[in-house]
Amino acid sequence: MKPVLNLITITKDDLDGVAATIRSTKNIRANLGVRQIIVDSSSQQVADNMRELLHNEENIEYIWQEPSGIAGAFNLGIKGLDSQWVWFLNGRDEVHPKLDEKLLLQILDSTQADVLIFQIEYMGGRLKRKRNPPLWALWPPMYPNWVPHPGTFIKTELFKQYGVFDPAFKIAMDTDLWMRLFSEKVTVDMLSIPVTLYDIQGVSATDSVSTDKEVQQIFRKNIGRILNWWIATGIHLLKTLAIPFTQIFYLFLRKLKRLTKRIFT
């Protein structure tokens, strides 16, 4: 039987950040048997120090690779997964100190969901929990209702079905993944419990101009999925209302949905 959870941590030239992350994962690794994969793209000197730092740590697999971007590092970590679930906890992000880790693993082991979205809490001198958006606002999964990947757990089998992170995106590749997952028959649960202390100095927060450009590209790439979802929602609403004149409009929407699938897929 597969282990319940693996963690993937990506880093580049940030020994202190990884040190903070692995301190926070020590209990879940040492006492609960959770494996952590660290994908490092640091310079040779930092990589040597990283290996020394991790030498005596339990349940850590260290992988070095040439700098290949965030998506490339995520995807390399995904190749090494042997678990039912994955949690992306990057360097400088930390397991929340109040997290009941045994309860977390019980939830993962018993849920029928495919994706679980928990809360994150921001670091940086102003600890503040990020509220989960209302359920209806998860589509499309874009700003301001951003799905926080450090607080999200994904069934590993989904990557075989729907693909991994797209290396064409340097910052917002997680939004592209959410588009693919949430437009399919994937069950998503949200739990308003903080699991991560999140470092707000990441590139998505500090380079909003580049992030916005990528989000616009992702929107254009997925416009067919977005329209199909809205049309499907309209069809469901009309069927639910069961008003006679809606039958004509219902047939029109079905034809429109087939047309948009033909155009955008």
Side-chain angles (χ1 to χ4, degrees), residues 74-110:
F74 280 152
N75 291 341
L76 183 59
I78 289 169
K79 287 181 180 179
L81 294 173
D82 66 357
S83 58
Q84 300 171 49
W85 292 86
V86 62
W87 182 10
F88 294 96
L89 193 70
N90 291 344
R92 291 200 175 272
D93 296 340
E94 300 176 20
V95 175
H96 198 283
K98 294 183 179 179
L99 177 63
D100 185 332
E101 293 157 339
K102 286 185 178 180
L103 177 60
L104 171 66
L105 294 182
Q106 288 173 4
I107 291 171
L108 295 176
D109 198 34
S110 59

PDB file of all heavy atoms in Angstrom, residues 74-110:
ATOM      1  N   PHE A  74       9.279  21.458  -9.747  1.00  0.00           N
ATOM      2  CA  PHE A  74       8.084  20.745  -9.289  1.00  0.00           C
ATOM      3  C   PHE A  74       7.938  19.398 -10.008  1.00  0.00           C
ATOM      4  O   PHE A  74       7.679  18.365  -9.390  1.00  0.00           O
ATOM      5  CB  PHE A  74       6.824  21.580  -9.551  1.00  0.00           C
ATOM      6  CG  PHE A  74       6.556  22.658  -8.542  1.00  0.00           C
ATOM      7  CD1 PHE A  74       5.872  23.811  -8.905  1.00  0.00           C
ATOM      8  CD2 PHE A  74       6.943  22.520  -7.225  1.00  0.00           C
ATOM      9  CE1 PHE A  74       5.592  24.799  -7.980  1.00  0.00           C
ATOM     10  CE2 PHE A  74       6.674  23.511  -6.282  1.00  0.00           C
ATOM     11  CZ  PHE A  74       5.988  24.653  -6.668  1.00  0.00           C
ATOM     12  N   ASN A  75       8.093  19.430 -11.325  1.00  0.00           N
ATOM     13  CA  ASN A  75       7.872  18.222 -12.126  1.00  0.00           C
ATOM     14  C   ASN A  75       8.896  17.138 -11.828  1.00  0.00           C
ATOM     15  O   ASN A  75       8.568  15.945 -11.845  1.00  0.00           O
ATOM     16  CB  ASN A  75       7.878  18.571 -13.610  1.00  0.00           C
ATOM     17  CG  ASN A  75       6.670  19.406 -14.007  1.00  0.00           C
ATOM     18  OD1 ASN A  75       5.664  19.434 -13.303  1.00  0.00           O
ATOM     19  ND2 ASN A  75       6.776  20.105 -15.123  1.00  0.00           N
ATOM     20  N   LEU A  76      10.138  17.541 -11.548  1.00  0.00           N
ATOM     21  CA  LEU A  76      11.146  16.557 -11.167  1.00  0.00           C
ATOM     22  C   LEU A  76      10.765  15.907  -9.846  1.00  0.00           C
ATOM     23  O   LEU A  76      10.904  14.687  -9.671  1.00  0.00           O
ATOM     24  CB  LEU A  76      12.527  17.209 -11.066  1.00  0.00           C
ATOM     25  CG  LEU A  76      13.697  16.265 -10.738  1.00  0.00           C
ATOM     26  CD1 LEU A  76      13.818  15.163 -11.790  1.00  0.00           C
ATOM     27  CD2 LEU A  76      15.002  17.052 -10.626  1.00  0.00           C
ATOM     28  N   GLY A  77      10.268  16.699  -8.901  1.00  0.00           N
ATOM     29  CA  GLY A  77       9.801  16.136  -7.634  1.00  0.00           C
ATOM     30  C   GLY A  77       8.636  15.190  -7.828  1.00  0.00           C
ATOM     31  O   GLY A  77       8.561  14.123  -7.196  1.00  0.00           O
ATOM     32  N   ILE A  78       7.719  15.532  -8.735  1.00  0.00           N
ATOM     33  CA  ILE A  78       6.551  14.687  -9.002  1.00  0.00           C
ATOM     34  C   ILE A  78       6.983  13.315  -9.506  1.00  0.00           C
ATOM     35  O   ILE A  78       6.379  12.290  -9.164  1.00  0.00           O
ATOM     36  CB  ILE A  78       5.608  15.388 -10.007  1.00  0.00           C
ATOM     37  CG1 ILE A  78       4.917  16.574  -9.319  1.00  0.00           C
ATOM     38  CG2 ILE A  78       4.569  14.422 -10.559  1.00  0.00           C
ATOM     39  CD1 ILE A  78       4.176  17.501 -10.273  1.00  0.00           C
ATOM     40  N   LYS A  79       8.038  13.270 -10.316  1.00  0.00           N
ATOM     41  CA  LYS A  79       8.531  11.982 -10.831  1.00  0.00           C
ATOM     42  C   LYS A  79       8.954  11.042  -9.707  1.00  0.00           C
ATOM     43  O   LYS A  79       8.922   9.820  -9.870  1.00  0.00           O
ATOM     44  CB  LYS A  79       9.718  12.215 -11.770  1.00  0.00           C
ATOM     45  CG  LYS A  79       9.346  12.803 -13.114  1.00  0.00           C
ATOM     46  CD  LYS A  79      10.587  12.976 -13.987  1.00  0.00           C
ATOM     47  CE  LYS A  79      10.234  13.577 -15.342  1.00  0.00           C
ATOM     48  NZ  LYS A  79      11.445  13.773 -16.179  1.00  0.00           N
ATOM     49  N   GLY A  80       9.370  11.606  -8.558  1.00  0.00           N
ATOM     50  CA  GLY A  80       9.846  10.775  -7.459  1.00  0.00           C
ATOM     51  C   GLY A  80       8.790  10.400  -6.442  1.00  0.00           C
ATOM     52  O   GLY A  80       9.099   9.755  -5.432  1.00  0.00           O
ATOM     53  N   LEU A  81       7.539  10.768  -6.673  1.00  0.00           N
ATOM     54  CA  LEU A  81       6.484  10.501  -5.699  1.00  0.00           C
ATOM     55  C   LEU A  81       6.160   9.010  -5.611  1.00  0.00           C
ATOM     56  O   LEU A  81       6.122   8.312  -6.617  1.00  0.00           O
ATOM     57  CB  LEU A  81       5.207  11.266  -6.077  1.00  0.00           C
ATOM     58  CG  LEU A  81       5.268  12.790  -6.002  1.00  0.00           C
ATOM     59  CD1 LEU A  81       3.991  13.409  -6.566  1.00  0.00           C
ATOM     60  CD2 LEU A  81       5.489  13.258  -4.563  1.00  0.00           C
ATOM     61  N   ASP A  82       5.916   8.543  -4.382  1.00  0.00           N
ATOM     62  CA  ASP A  82       5.453   7.164  -4.183  1.00  0.00           C
ATOM     63  C   ASP A  82       4.263   7.120  -3.240  1.00  0.00           C
ATOM     64  O   ASP A  82       3.972   6.093  -2.642  1.00  0.00           O
ATOM     65  CB  ASP A  82       6.592   6.290  -3.633  1.00  0.00           C
ATOM     66  CG  ASP A  82       7.036   6.695  -2.227  1.00  0.00           C
ATOM     67  OD1 ASP A  82       6.509   7.697  -1.687  1.00  0.00           O
ATOM     68  OD2 ASP A  82       7.921   6.013  -1.666  1.00  0.00           O
ATOM     69  N   SER A  83       3.546   8.240  -3.123  1.00  0.00           N
ATOM     70  CA  SER A  83       2.488   8.383  -2.122  1.00  0.00           C
ATOM     71  C   SER A  83       1.128   8.596  -2.772  1.00  0.00           C
ATOM     72  O   SER A  83       1.015   8.805  -3.982  1.00  0.00           O
ATOM     73  CB  SER A  83       2.799   9.577  -1.219  1.00  0.00           C
ATOM     74  OG  SER A  83       2.914  10.762  -2.009  1.00  0.00           O
ATOM     75  N   GLN A  84       0.091   8.568  -1.926  1.00  0.00           N
ATOM     76  CA  GLN A  84      -1.261   8.859  -2.400  1.00  0.00           C
ATOM     77  C   GLN A  84      -1.468  10.359  -2.623  1.00  0.00           C
ATOM     78  O   GLN A  84      -2.207  10.766  -3.515  1.00  0.00           O
ATOM     79  CB  GLN A  84      -2.288   8.366  -1.370  1.00  0.00           C
ATOM     80  CG  GLN A  84      -2.238   6.885  -1.076  1.00  0.00           C
ATOM     81  CD  GLN A  84      -3.118   6.527   0.104  1.00  0.00           C
ATOM     82  OE1 GLN A  84      -4.286   6.934   0.165  1.00  0.00           O
ATOM     83  NE2 GLN A  84      -2.594   5.783   1.055  1.00  0.00           N
ATOM     84  N   TRP A  85      -0.822  11.171  -1.766  1.00  0.00           N
ATOM     85  CA  TRP A  85      -1.014  12.620  -1.794  1.00  0.00           C
ATOM     86  C   TRP A  85       0.333  13.328  -1.856  1.00  0.00           C
ATOM     87  O   TRP A  85       1.342  12.784  -1.422  1.00  0.00           O
ATOM     88  CB  TRP A  85      -1.741  13.092  -0.520  1.00  0.00           C
ATOM     89  CG  TRP A  85      -3.160  12.652  -0.400  1.00  0.00           C
ATOM     90  CD1 TRP A  85      -3.613  11.476   0.116  1.00  0.00           C
ATOM     91  CD2 TRP A  85      -4.317  13.393  -0.797  1.00  0.00           C
ATOM     92  NE1 TRP A  85      -4.993  11.425   0.069  1.00  0.00           N
ATOM     93  CE2 TRP A  85      -5.453  12.599  -0.480  1.00  0.00           C
ATOM     94  CE3 TRP A  85      -4.524  14.644  -1.365  1.00  0.00           C
ATOM     95  CZ2 TRP A  85      -6.756  13.024  -0.730  1.00  0.00           C
ATOM     96  CZ3 TRP A  85      -5.824  15.072  -1.613  1.00  0.00           C
ATOM     97  CH2 TRP A  85      -6.929  14.265  -1.298  1.00  0.00           C
ATOM     98  N   VAL A  86       0.302  14.575  -2.365  1.00  0.00           N
ATOM     99  CA  VAL A  86       1.505  15.402  -2.357  1.00  0.00           C
ATOM    100  C   VAL A  86       1.161  16.786  -1.809  1.00  0.00           C
ATOM    101  O   VAL A  86       0.072  17.322  -2.039  1.00  0.00           O
ATOM    102  CB  VAL A  86       2.124  15.515  -3.771  1.00  0.00           C
ATOM    103  CG1 VAL A  86       1.166  16.180  -4.756  1.00  0.00           C
ATOM    104  CG2 VAL A  86       3.445  16.280  -3.723  1.00  0.00           C
ATOM    105  N   TRP A  87       2.137  17.337  -1.081  1.00  0.00           N
ATOM    106  CA  TRP A  87       2.026  18.684  -0.496  1.00  0.00           C
ATOM    107  C   TRP A  87       3.264  19.459  -0.939  1.00  0.00           C
ATOM    108  O   TRP A  87       4.389  19.042  -0.668  1.00  0.00           O
ATOM    109  CB  TRP A  87       1.963  18.553   1.021  1.00  0.00           C
ATOM    110  CG  TRP A  87       1.808  19.830   1.797  1.00  0.00           C
ATOM    111  CD1 TRP A  87       1.527  21.080   1.330  1.00  0.00           C
ATOM    112  CD2 TRP A  87       1.898  19.963   3.230  1.00  0.00           C
ATOM    113  NE1 TRP A  87       1.438  21.978   2.359  1.00  0.00           N
ATOM    114  CE2 TRP A  87       1.669  21.310   3.541  1.00  0.00           C
ATOM    115  CE3 TRP A  87       2.167  19.064   4.263  1.00  0.00           C
ATOM    116  CZ2 TRP A  87       1.692  21.799   4.847  1.00  0.00           C
ATOM    117  CZ3 TRP A  87       2.196  19.539   5.552  1.00  0.00           C
ATOM    118  CH2 TRP A  87       1.956  20.889   5.855  1.00  0.00           C
ATOM    119  N   PHE A  88       3.060  20.567  -1.652  1.00  0.00           N
ATOM    120  CA  PHE A  88       4.166  21.400  -2.125  1.00  0.00           C
ATOM    121  C   PHE A  88       4.476  22.452  -1.068  1.00  0.00           C
ATOM    122  O   PHE A  88       3.725  23.412  -0.887  1.00  0.00           O
ATOM    123  CB  PHE A  88       3.807  22.067  -3.460  1.00  0.00           C
ATOM    124  CG  PHE A  88       3.651  21.089  -4.583  1.00  0.00           C
ATOM    125  CD1 PHE A  88       2.390  20.611  -4.937  1.00  0.00           C
ATOM    126  CD2 PHE A  88       4.752  20.638  -5.299  1.00  0.00           C
ATOM    127  CE1 PHE A  88       2.229  19.704  -5.972  1.00  0.00           C
ATOM    128  CE2 PHE A  88       4.605  19.725  -6.337  1.00  0.00           C
ATOM    129  CZ  PHE A  88       3.344  19.260  -6.676  1.00  0.00           C
ATOM    130  N   LEU A  89       5.599  22.252  -0.370  1.00  0.00           N
ATOM    131  CA  LEU A  89       5.999  23.148   0.712  1.00  0.00           C
ATOM    132  C   LEU A  89       7.398  23.670   0.382  1.00  0.00           C
ATOM    133  O   LEU A  89       8.394  22.989   0.627  1.00  0.00           O
ATOM    134  CB  LEU A  89       6.004  22.377   2.038  1.00  0.00           C
ATOM    135  CG  LEU A  89       6.086  23.203   3.320  1.00  0.00           C
ATOM    136  CD1 LEU A  89       4.798  23.980   3.559  1.00  0.00           C
ATOM    137  CD2 LEU A  89       6.382  22.298   4.511  1.00  0.00           C
ATOM    138  N   ASN A  90       7.465  24.844  -0.203  1.00  0.00           N
ATOM    139  CA  ASN A  90       8.737  25.334  -0.720  1.00  0.00           C
ATOM    140  C   ASN A  90       9.680  25.822   0.373  1.00  0.00           C
ATOM    141  O   ASN A  90       9.274  26.016   1.528  1.00  0.00           O
ATOM    142  CB  ASN A  90       8.492  26.467  -1.720  1.00  0.00           C
ATOM    143  CG  ASN A  90       7.856  25.964  -2.995  1.00  0.00           C
ATOM    144  OD1 ASN A  90       7.867  24.765  -3.275  1.00  0.00           O
ATOM    145  ND2 ASN A  90       7.298  26.863  -3.774  1.00  0.00           N
ATOM    146  N   GLY A  91      10.935  26.034  -0.005  1.00  0.00           N
ATOM    147  CA  GLY A  91      11.904  26.576   0.938  1.00  0.00           C
ATOM    148  C   GLY A  91      11.413  27.882   1.527  1.00  0.00           C
ATOM    149  O   GLY A  91      10.895  28.741   0.816  1.00  0.00           O
ATOM    150  N   ARG A  92      11.557  28.017   2.842  1.00  0.00           N
ATOM    151  CA  ARG A  92      11.088  29.140   3.676  1.00  0.00           C
ATOM    152  C   ARG A  92       9.643  28.975   4.138  1.00  0.00           C
ATOM    153  O   ARG A  92       9.244  29.582   5.122  1.00  0.00           O
ATOM    154  CB  ARG A  92      11.278  30.512   3.020  1.00  0.00           C
ATOM    155  CG  ARG A  92      12.724  30.913   2.915  1.00  0.00           C
ATOM    156  CD  ARG A  92      12.952  32.403   2.719  1.00  0.00           C
ATOM    157  NE  ARG A  92      14.384  32.666   2.743  1.00  0.00           N
ATOM    158  CZ  ARG A  92      15.087  32.921   3.823  1.00  0.00           C
ATOM    159  NH1 ARG A  92      14.480  32.964   5.001  1.00  0.00           N
ATOM    160  NH2 ARG A  92      16.389  33.137   3.762  1.00  0.00           N
ATOM    161  N   ASP A  93       8.820  28.198   3.424  1.00  0.00           N
ATOM    162  CA  ASP A  93       7.488  27.893   3.948  1.00  0.00           C
ATOM    163  C   ASP A  93       7.630  26.850   5.047  1.00  0.00           C
ATOM    164  O   ASP A  93       8.540  26.023   5.023  1.00  0.00           O
ATOM    165  CB  ASP A  93       6.577  27.355   2.840  1.00  0.00           C
ATOM    166  CG  ASP A  93       6.320  28.383   1.752  1.00  0.00           C
ATOM    167  OD1 ASP A  93       6.516  29.586   2.019  1.00  0.00           O
ATOM    168  OD2 ASP A  93       5.930  27.983   0.647  1.00  0.00           O
ATOM    169  N   GLU A  94       6.725  26.887   6.023  1.00  0.00           N
ATOM    170  CA  GLU A  94       6.843  25.996   7.180  1.00  0.00           C
ATOM    171  C   GLU A  94       5.504  25.354   7.515  1.00  0.00           C
ATOM    172  O   GLU A  94       4.442  25.934   7.268  1.00  0.00           O
ATOM    173  CB  GLU A  94       7.334  26.781   8.403  1.00  0.00           C
ATOM    174  CG  GLU A  94       8.690  27.450   8.220  1.00  0.00           C
ATOM    175  CD  GLU A  94       9.091  28.297   9.421  1.00  0.00           C
ATOM    176  OE1 GLU A  94       8.527  28.066  10.526  1.00  0.00           O
ATOM    177  OE2 GLU A  94       9.947  29.187   9.263  1.00  0.00           O
ATOM    178  N   VAL A  95       5.571  24.152   8.063  1.00  0.00           N
ATOM    179  CA  VAL A  95       4.377  23.521   8.625  1.00  0.00           C
ATOM    180  C   VAL A  95       3.878  24.400   9.773  1.00  0.00           C
ATOM    181  O   VAL A  95       4.654  24.861  10.609  1.00  0.00           O
ATOM    182  CB  VAL A  95       4.696  22.107   9.145  1.00  0.00           C
ATOM    183  CG1 VAL A  95       3.469  21.500   9.837  1.00  0.00           C
ATOM    184  CG2 VAL A  95       5.169  21.215   8.001  1.00  0.00           C
ATOM    185  N   HIS A  96       2.593  24.648   9.799  1.00  0.00           N
ATOM    186  CA  HIS A  96       2.033  25.514  10.849  1.00  0.00           C
ATOM    187  C   HIS A  96       2.269  24.886  12.220  1.00  0.00           C
ATOM    188  O   HIS A  96       2.016  23.688  12.414  1.00  0.00           O
ATOM    189  CB  HIS A  96       0.535  25.710  10.615  1.00  0.00           C
ATOM    190  CG  HIS A  96      -0.028  26.882  11.347  1.00  0.00           C
ATOM    191  ND1 HIS A  96      -0.288  26.854  12.700  1.00  0.00           N
ATOM    192  CD2 HIS A  96      -0.358  28.135  10.922  1.00  0.00           C
ATOM    193  CE1 HIS A  96      -0.773  28.026  13.081  1.00  0.00           C
ATOM    194  NE2 HIS A  96      -0.822  28.820  12.023  1.00  0.00           N
ATOM    195  N   PRO A  97       2.766  25.656  13.186  1.00  0.00           N
ATOM    196  CA  PRO A  97       3.103  25.074  14.499  1.00  0.00           C
ATOM    197  C   PRO A  97       1.904  24.509  15.247  1.00  0.00           C
ATOM    198  O   PRO A  97       2.073  23.673  16.126  1.00  0.00           O
ATOM    199  CB  PRO A  97       3.728  26.257  15.257  1.00  0.00           C
ATOM    200  CG  PRO A  97       3.256  27.483  14.547  1.00  0.00           C
ATOM    201  CD  PRO A  97       3.100  27.093  13.115  1.00  0.00           C
ATOM    202  N   LYS A  98       0.696  24.941  14.908  1.00  0.00           N
ATOM    203  CA  LYS A  98      -0.499  24.434  15.591  1.00  0.00           C
ATOM    204  C   LYS A  98      -1.176  23.284  14.840  1.00  0.00           C
ATOM    205  O   LYS A  98      -2.236  22.812  15.262  1.00  0.00           O
ATOM    206  CB  LYS A  98      -1.502  25.576  15.804  1.00  0.00           C
ATOM    207  CG  LYS A  98      -1.009  26.649  16.762  1.00  0.00           C
ATOM    208  CD  LYS A  98      -2.075  27.711  16.988  1.00  0.00           C
ATOM    209  CE  LYS A  98      -1.583  28.777  17.964  1.00  0.00           C
ATOM    210  NZ  LYS A  98      -2.605  29.841  18.170  1.00  0.00           N
ATOM    211  N   LEU A  99      -0.565  22.842  13.738  1.00  0.00           N
ATOM    212  CA  LEU A  99      -1.182  21.777  12.950  1.00  0.00           C
ATOM    213  C   LEU A  99      -1.151  20.447  13.697  1.00  0.00           C
ATOM    214  O   LEU A  99      -0.108  20.028  14.198  1.00  0.00           O
ATOM    215  CB  LEU A  99      -0.450  21.626  11.613  1.00  0.00           C
ATOM    216  CG  LEU A  99      -0.930  20.490  10.702  1.00  0.00           C
ATOM    217  CD1 LEU A  99      -2.379  20.710  10.281  1.00  0.00           C
ATOM    218  CD2 LEU A  99      -0.026  20.347   9.488  1.00  0.00           C
ATOM    219  N   ASP A 100      -2.298  19.788  13.760  1.00  0.00           N
ATOM    220  CA  ASP A 100      -2.382  18.428  14.297  1.00  0.00           C
ATOM    221  C   ASP A 100      -2.043  17.483  13.148  1.00  0.00           C
ATOM    222  O   ASP A 100      -2.890  17.146  12.313  1.00  0.00           O
ATOM    223  CB  ASP A 100      -3.795  18.170  14.835  1.00  0.00           C
ATOM    224  CG  ASP A 100      -3.919  16.815  15.524  1.00  0.00           C
ATOM    225  OD1 ASP A 100      -3.165  15.885  15.164  1.00  0.00           O
ATOM    226  OD2 ASP A 100      -4.775  16.675  16.407  1.00  0.00           O
ATOM    227  N   GLU A 101      -0.787  17.057  13.102  1.00  0.00           N
ATOM    228  CA  GLU A 101      -0.308  16.311  11.939  1.00  0.00           C
ATOM    229  C   GLU A 101      -0.929  14.920  11.844  1.00  0.00           C
ATOM    230  O   GLU A 101      -1.179  14.411  10.742  1.00  0.00           O
ATOM    231  CB  GLU A 101       1.223  16.241  11.980  1.00  0.00           C
ATOM    232  CG  GLU A 101       1.846  17.622  11.791  1.00  0.00           C
ATOM    233  CD  GLU A 101       3.246  17.739  12.356  1.00  0.00           C
ATOM    234  OE1 GLU A 101       3.597  16.907  13.226  1.00  0.00           O
ATOM    235  OE2 GLU A 101       3.967  18.653  11.946  1.00  0.00           O
ATOM    236  N   LYS A 102      -1.193  14.285  12.977  1.00  0.00           N
ATOM    237  CA  LYS A 102      -1.865  12.976  12.951  1.00  0.00           C
ATOM    238  C   LYS A 102      -3.267  13.112  12.369  1.00  0.00           C
ATOM    239  O   LYS A 102      -3.705  12.278  11.566  1.00  0.00           O
ATOM    240  CB  LYS A 102      -1.926  12.377  14.358  1.00  0.00           C
ATOM    241  CG  LYS A 102      -0.598  11.842  14.862  1.00  0.00           C
ATOM    242  CD  LYS A 102      -0.776  11.160  16.207  1.00  0.00           C
ATOM    243  CE  LYS A 102       0.554  10.581  16.699  1.00  0.00           C
ATOM    244  NZ  LYS A 102       0.391   9.914  18.024  1.00  0.00           N
ATOM    245  N   LEU A 103      -3.968  14.160  12.782  1.00  0.00           N
ATOM    246  CA  LEU A 103      -5.311  14.397  12.252  1.00  0.00           C
ATOM    247  C   LEU A 103      -5.255  14.665  10.744  1.00  0.00           C
ATOM    248  O   LEU A 103      -6.090  14.171   9.986  1.00  0.00           O
ATOM    249  CB  LEU A 103      -5.964  15.573  12.965  1.00  0.00           C
ATOM    250  CG  LEU A 103      -7.354  15.986  12.460  1.00  0.00           C
ATOM    251  CD1 LEU A 103      -8.341  14.823  12.594  1.00  0.00           C
ATOM    252  CD2 LEU A 103      -7.853  17.216  13.212  1.00  0.00           C
ATOM    253  N   LEU A 104      -4.256  15.435  10.316  1.00  0.00           N
ATOM    254  CA  LEU A 104      -4.093  15.705   8.890  1.00  0.00           C
ATOM    255  C   LEU A 104      -3.965  14.410   8.097  1.00  0.00           C
ATOM    256  O   LEU A 104      -4.643  14.219   7.077  1.00  0.00           O
ATOM    257  CB  LEU A 104      -2.862  16.588   8.659  1.00  0.00           C
ATOM    258  CG  LEU A 104      -2.446  16.780   7.192  1.00  0.00           C
ATOM    259  CD1 LEU A 104      -3.503  17.562   6.431  1.00  0.00           C
ATOM    260  CD2 LEU A 104      -1.086  17.473   7.103  1.00  0.00           C
ATOM    261  N   LEU A 105      -3.115  13.515   8.546  1.00  0.00           N
ATOM    262  CA  LEU A 105      -2.924  12.250   7.831  1.00  0.00           C
ATOM    263  C   LEU A 105      -4.184  11.390   7.858  1.00  0.00           C
ATOM    264  O   LEU A 105      -4.485  10.684   6.892  1.00  0.00           O
ATOM    265  CB  LEU A 105      -1.744  11.486   8.422  1.00  0.00           C
ATOM    266  CG  LEU A 105      -0.364  12.140   8.238  1.00  0.00           C
ATOM    267  CD1 LEU A 105       0.733  11.259   8.825  1.00  0.00           C
ATOM    268  CD2 LEU A 105      -0.075  12.429   6.773  1.00  0.00           C
ATOM    269  N   GLN A 106      -4.937  11.455   8.956  1.00  0.00           N
ATOM    270  CA  GLN A 106      -6.209  10.719   9.028  1.00  0.00           C
ATOM    271  C   GLN A 106      -7.203  11.264   8.004  1.00  0.00           C
ATOM    272  O   GLN A 106      -7.919  10.491   7.348  1.00  0.00           O
ATOM    273  CB  GLN A 106      -6.800  10.822  10.437  1.00  0.00           C
ATOM    274  CG  GLN A 106      -6.055  10.008  11.481  1.00  0.00           C
ATOM    275  CD  GLN A 106      -6.568  10.266  12.891  1.00  0.00           C
ATOM    276  OE1 GLN A 106      -7.537  11.004  13.084  1.00  0.00           O
ATOM    277  NE2 GLN A 106      -5.921   9.676  13.870  1.00  0.00           N
ATOM    278  N   ILE A 107      -7.242  12.586   7.866  1.00  0.00           N
ATOM    279  CA  ILE A 107      -8.134  13.201   6.882  1.00  0.00           C
ATOM    280  C   ILE A 107      -7.749  12.753   5.478  1.00  0.00           C
ATOM    281  O   ILE A 107      -8.594  12.343   4.673  1.00  0.00           O
ATOM    282  CB  ILE A 107      -8.091  14.739   6.993  1.00  0.00           C
ATOM    283  CG1 ILE A 107      -8.737  15.192   8.310  1.00  0.00           C
ATOM    284  CG2 ILE A 107      -8.791  15.391   5.801  1.00  0.00           C
ATOM    285  CD1 ILE A 107      -8.563  16.666   8.611  1.00  0.00           C
ATOM    286  N   LEU A 108      -6.454  12.823   5.162  1.00  0.00           N
ATOM    287  CA  LEU A 108      -5.988  12.429   3.836  1.00  0.00           C
ATOM    288  C   LEU A 108      -6.281  10.956   3.551  1.00  0.00           C
ATOM    289  O   LEU A 108      -6.630  10.587   2.420  1.00  0.00           O
ATOM    290  CB  LEU A 108      -4.482  12.686   3.707  1.00  0.00           C
ATOM    291  CG  LEU A 108      -4.017  14.145   3.765  1.00  0.00           C
ATOM    292  CD1 LEU A 108      -2.492  14.216   3.722  1.00  0.00           C
ATOM    293  CD2 LEU A 108      -4.609  14.956   2.620  1.00  0.00           C
ATOM    294  N   ASP A 109      -6.160  10.123   4.561  1.00  0.00           N
ATOM    295  CA  ASP A 109      -6.327   8.684   4.386  1.00  0.00           C
ATOM    296  C   ASP A 109      -7.788   8.278   4.235  1.00  0.00           C
ATOM    297  O   ASP A 109      -8.095   7.237   3.662  1.00  0.00           O
ATOM    298  CB  ASP A 109      -5.708   7.950   5.575  1.00  0.00           C
ATOM    299  CG  ASP A 109      -5.441   6.476   5.267  1.00  0.00           C
ATOM    300  OD1 ASP A 109      -5.101   6.166   4.104  1.00  0.00           O
ATOM    301  OD2 ASP A 109      -5.578   5.648   6.177  1.00  0.00           O
ATOM    302  N   SER A 110      -8.699   9.118   4.723  1.00  0.00           N
ATOM    303  CA  SER A 110     -10.111   8.714   4.743  1.00  0.00           C
ATOM    304  C   SER A 110     -10.992   9.495   3.772  1.00  0.00           C
ATOM    305  O   SER A 110     -12.088   9.037   3.439  1.00  0.00           O
ATOM    306  CB  SER A 110     -10.681   8.865   6.158  1.00  0.00           C
ATOM    307  OG  SER A 110     -10.571  10.201   6.614  1.00  0.00           O
TER     308      SER A 110
END
